[in-house]
Amino acid sequence: MQKKRSNPKKKWLWLIPIVLLAAAGGGYAYYSTQVAQAQTTATEEDALQTTTARRGDLEITATGTGTLVPAAQISLGFDESGTLIELAAAVGDQVQAGARLARLQTKNTPAEIAATVADAQLSVIQAQSKLDALYTSAASSKAAALNDIATYAQEVRDAQYQLDNYTLPTYLQGMDAIEALDKMKAALEAAQAAFEPYRYAASSNSIRQELLEALSVAQANYDAAVKRLNYEYALQVAQANLDKARQEYDKYKDGPAADELAEAQA
């Protein structure tokens, strides 16, 4: 038997499509890579922004939405019940003093409404009278405070002069006024207790004479402590009165007191 010989031409025909497909695939991959790189480079160049460095102020602003909150607000309403027939102002509107904001339909008759208005007008007149009287009273209080300042300033000066010119006994030095008073009182009570058994003894009795002298010294020491305390007390009272007068003057020097004025104006 004879073997069939293969045809070389047929082999070349099969290889040509394979080579063409490989070349096409490689070209497509190369093209896709280059396009992707070009797009990435373009995006980075577009996102990158540069400028020259310089010294200046940096301003940052922000915008947003929200609700406007007033610094102060007050609720208004009618004293009577009825039907609201007009609302002439809305939240955020700017209104003038005396402007009508709303109207209410009530069951009151015109005569009753007129009487109510008359009562309200009388209340306004009375409130204005109280406010005027407050200013008058403030002026009087200010004048009285000035007089008190002058009086108590003199009392402070006199009390300080007496205290400064008081010669403090040696046995009272080193102690405050209350401590000295307590100590001298205890010594006086001890001297009185010691003298009591000899109170009705003969005046010629030597023990009685010694105890009486000790009692007299203790009494003098106690009186000196009381005198010093009186001087210091007088100075403190005068100074307290002066401070109070100054506070009263500061309260009314610019007119009525702020709390009293606010209440009267309301």
Side-chain angles (χ1 to χ4, degrees), residues 49-237:
Q49 298 181 0
T50 61
T51 186
T52 303
R54 63 183 185 276
R55 185 184 298 274
D57 297 333
L58 179 63
E59 295 184 2
I60 300 177
T61 60
T63 59
T65 60
T67 303
L68 184 63
V69 179
Q73 62 182 10
I74 184 173
S75 299
L76 301 177
F78 294 98
D79 294 334
E80 301 177 6
S81 60
T83 302
L84 184 66
I85 60 176
E86 180 184 2
L87 184 61
V91 176
D93 290 350
Q94 183 175 358
V95 297
Q96 301 296 327
R100 183 172 61 194
L101 304 181
R103 288 197 302 157
L104 186 73
Q105 179 65 51
T106 67
K107 297 180 180 180
N108 295 332
T109 64
E112 292 173 340
I113 295 176
T116 302
V117 172
D119 291 340
Q121 291 175 340
L122 178 60
S123 298
V124 172
I125 294 174
Q126 293 174 343
Q128 184 63 50
S129 298
K130 291 181 179 179
L131 182 59
D132 295 340
L134 190 61
Y135 277 97
T136 302
S137 175
S140 300
S141 298
K142 178 182 177 180
L146 283 173
N147 182 69
D148 290 341
I149 290 174
T151 300
Y152 295 130
Q154 183 63 40
E155 291 184 3
V156 168
R157 179 180 178 276
D158 294 342
Q160 187 67 58
Y161 178 81
Q162 287 182 336
L163 183 60
D164 293 341
N165 286 272
Y166 172 63
T167 302
L168 188 64
T170 305
Y171 52 84
L172 296 180
Q173 295 178 3
M175 296 181 289
D176 60 37
I178 298 299
E179 182 183 0
L181 179 68
D182 292 340
K183 187 173 182 179
M184 295 304 104
K185 180 181 180 182
L188 176 60
E189 291 175 349
Q192 290 173 338
F195 176 74
E196 188 62 28
Y198 297 90
R199 175 181 296 276
Y200 301 106
S203 57
S204 59
N205 188 305
S206 60
I207 298 177
R208 182 181 185 281
Q209 292 179 354
E210 291 178 0
L211 294 175
L212 182 59
E213 291 177 0
L215 178 59
S216 299
V217 171
Q219 183 67 57
N221 294 343
Y222 178 76
D223 293 342
V226 172
K227 187 176 184 180
R228 174 196 178 186
L229 183 62
N230 284 333
Y231 285 154
E232 292 195 4
Y233 170 75
L235 177 60
Q236 291 182 8
V237 170

